[in-house]
Amino acid sequence: INRVKSALRRRTRTSTNGGVMKTKFNLMSGVAALAVAVVVAGPVSADMSRWTGPYIGVDVGFADINVGGRFNPSELPGDPWDGNNGVVAGGHVGYNMGMDGFIFGLEADLMVANLDADACNECVNGSEFAKAEVDLLASLRARVGVPIMDDSALVYATGGLAYRDASWKTFNSDGDPGGSGLDVSDGLNDIGGVVGVGAEFAVSENVSARLEGLYYIFPTGRAEADCCNDIGSNFKSDPFVLRFGLSVSF
């Protein structure tokens, strides 16, 4: 664990010039490394009844949809997207069981999202715009963790299937998708994957609070070429969610 802490300090010192994405990657990889180290070290307590059985809860957090994609052939270098982050809120339900000092569980969650991003560029028919929206995120995940701090906390890793309800459209300068220029509108209701790490803390006998980071991975959406875009368009978003939750076990 000391080696893990040293590695975390080195990552922190070297990530100041790496941008937002590098900071997120270092955060996720650092917490994941700590969780793996705790799991490898083994359980520190034999009483795990606090963390076993069914539970239900609510979540609220911050998300960055990490938008990328090309929507016309004259796109400038760099990232043309603006407003990639927003708020998510929802609920979760799950079941945990203890085995050999570890906690194994299955959890499903659903979050309503207020995430949108806009991009603008120049094309042969004038200004072209693109707008991306993510309205809903859901997942079905396995969890594995270890109780620590005399069973008052649980650190865990999680991963599984994810679902995204999203949309993507492009339109010309007059805001009319049916006018001249780029005209693409597509729903992006995709199945993908999600991985994450978290820590949960007992508040009372059957209430716990958690802090959790989740990274979603979805396929790239593609659209055919049109009169303005002779190479077609594509859209990519892999949301990163950092959320706080409260759970009630019963």
Side-chain angles (χ1 to χ4, degrees):
I1 293 178
N2 289 333
R3 289 196 296 269
V4 173
K5 291 180 179 178
S6 298
L8 288 175
R9 286 194 292 267
R10 289 195 299 272
R11 285 194 182 98
T12 302
R13 289 194 298 266
T14 57
S15 63
T16 54
N17 297 320
V20 176
M21 285 303 296
K22 186 173 181 180
T23 301
K24 291 174 184 174
F25 175 79
N26 286 339
L27 174 63
M28 289 287 287
S29 62
V31 177
L34 182 58
V36 169
V38 172
V39 170
V40 171
V44 297
S45 172
D47 182 10
M48 301 178 296
S49 58
R50 180 190 296 274
W51 303 108
T52 57
Y55 60 90
I56 191 169
V58 294
D59 304 289
V60 63
F62 168 85
D64 188 328
I65 55 177
N66 300 326
V67 180
R70 183 182 181 91
F71 65 94
N72 69 49
S74 63
E75 183 175 295
L76 299 174
D79 183 4
W81 297 89
D82 185 32
N84 296 352
N85 49 56
V87 176
V88 294
H92 60 265
V93 59
Y95 185 88
N96 290 329
M97 60 180 294
M99 184 182 299
D100 296 329
F102 296 97
I103 297 295
F104 297 92
L106 185 66
E107 180 174 297
D109 73 316
L110 178 68
M111 293 186 295
V112 176
N114 180 24
L115 305 173
D116 55 59
D118 300 279
C120 176
N121 218 331
E122 297 296 321
C123 197
V124 293
N125 291 321
S127 293
E128 300 284 346
F129 297 86
K131 184 176 181 65
E133 296 179 346
V134 176
D135 300 316
L136 188 107
L137 290 169
S139 69
L140 178 63
R141 296 171 285 105
R143 298 204 310 167
V144 57
V146 174
I148 60 173
M149 299 168 56
D150 293 330
D151 291 319
S152 64
L154 177 75
V155 293
Y156 60 90
T158 183
L161 295 176
Y163 173 78
R164 169 186 67 183
D165 183 358
S167 62
W168 173 43
K169 65 180 179 180
T170 59
F171 50 92
N172 59 11
S173 56
D174 61 10
D176 179 12
S180 61
L182 200 61
D183 181 7
V184 175
S185 182
D186 193 12
L188 299 169
N189 301 331
D190 295 319
I191 299 294
V194 58
V195 294
V197 291
E200 198 162 353
F201 305 90
V203 177
S204 66
E205 185 66 25
N206 64 335
V207 177
S208 62
R210 64 166 68 175
L211 183 63
E212 188 173 55
L214 298 171
Y215 185 72
Y216 296 79
I217 304 169
F218 291 108
T220 298
R222 301 189 184 279
E224 299 297 327
D226 64 10
C227 64
C228 178
N229 184 350
D230 57 3
I231 64 171
S233 305
N234 63 68
F235 170 83
K236 179 73 173 174
S237 78
D238 291 334
F240 172 81
V241 175
L242 183 64
R243 67 185 188 181
F244 171 79
L246 288 174
S247 298
V248 178
S249 60
F250 51 93

